[in-house]
Amino acid sequence: MLRVGGSSAYLLGWGGQGWAGAKARRRSPRLWWVRRSVTLAAVRLSLQVQYAVCGAFDLAYNGHGEPVQVRVISERQGVPTRYLEQIFVRLRRAGLVHSKRGPGGGYTLARPAGTISLREVVEAVEGPLAETIAMNDEAPLAARGRRPDFVWSDLAGRLAEALEQTTLEDLCREALRRQLPREEGEAPMYFI
């Protein structure tokens, strides 16, 4: 769930040199810590969202259109396999990935990476952003009419717009620009 509060913001960014939030050895998408004015709240994407973005990115960047096992993605991204399996079930239900069973099975992207936005990935695991970013309604009834609750729907709209404009292909381009290691596709086997 997205959490709001404090005086800083977490934005999705790249781990590694220049971007904080990820260990250099992983070099995978993580949260980017940005200091802003005191009026900006902290927006923390859940671990589930982070792992979903890492998994979808890995399919786009290292999959080469071939099925990839969750175990392999888990090892590359440093994510617990069991947790990633649950996330991929949600991504499959949302129509973002296809699964193939049996030997040589695994997951592939259901559409080209340029057509899958980060918003789709986030909403596949968290639900609609408008419902995810919401003020806690534990305040007394008299105080509810005096709070700026309208800000949460505005923030959800802005975050949704930013996530909608970023695709998995954008992440792959940035990864190439930053020279992140990439799995080479297997050489084709020819049988005579």
Side-chain angles (χ1 to χ4, degrees):
M1 182 171 188
L2 297 171
R3 294 183 187 98
V4 180
S7 63
S8 302
Y10 284 106
L11 300 175
L12 185 66
W14 284 97
Q17 227 171 350
W19 294 59
K23 295 179 182 173
R25 66 177 176 80
R26 285 194 193 143
R27 294 182 180 248
S28 59
R30 293 288 187 234
L31 293 182
W32 178 31
W33 179 263
V34 180
R35 279 261 181 224
R36 289 288 178 114
S37 68
V38 175
T39 59
L40 184 64
V43 177
R44 293 186 187 114
L45 299 174
S46 71
L47 203 53
Q48 194 171 49
V49 167
Q50 294 175 53
Y51 290 168
V53 170
C54 289
F57 161 76
D58 195 275
L59 280 181
Y61 193 63
N62 296 312
H64 307 290
E66 297 295 321
V68 181
Q69 294 178 356
V70 172
R71 178 189 51 78
V72 174
I73 297 170
S74 170
E75 290 170 3
R76 277 196 295 247
Q77 297 296 322
V79 175
T81 304
R82 292 254 176 175
Y83 199 40
L84 197 57
E85 287 170 348
Q86 295 170 9
I87 290 168
F88 268 89
V89 167
R90 290 183 179 186
L91 294 175
R92 185 179 48 79
R93 285 183 187 149
L96 300 178
V97 298
H98 287 298
S99 63
K100 179 182 174 189
R101 292 179 162 222
Y107 286 93
T108 57
L109 292 178
R111 303 191 313 253
T115 65
I116 299 176
S117 71
L118 292 186
R119 178 181 182 172
E120 291 177 283
V121 175
V122 169
E123 289 186 341
V125 296
E126 288 284 335
L129 286 172
E131 294 173 11
T132 305
I133 299 178
M135 186 68 176
N136 198 352
D137 284 339
E138 294 176 7
L141 191 56
R144 288 187 192 162
R146 299 174 187 200
R147 297 186 320 197
D149 289 340
F150 55 86
V151 73
W152 308 121
S153 61
D154 185 41
L155 276 175
R158 290 180 184 186
L159 181 59
E161 185 179 321
L163 292 172
E164 186 68 40
Q165 293 174 0
T166 307
T167 66
L168 292 177
E169 186 176 49
D170 295 334
L171 294 182
C172 292
R173 260 197 304 271
E174 182 65 18
L176 283 173
R177 189 180 77 72
R178 292 177 178 268
Q179 300 176 348
L180 266 73
R182 189 173 194 177
E183 289 294 317
E184 297 298 324
E186 291 184 26
M189 293 189 76
Y190 297 100
F191 296 96
I192 300 177

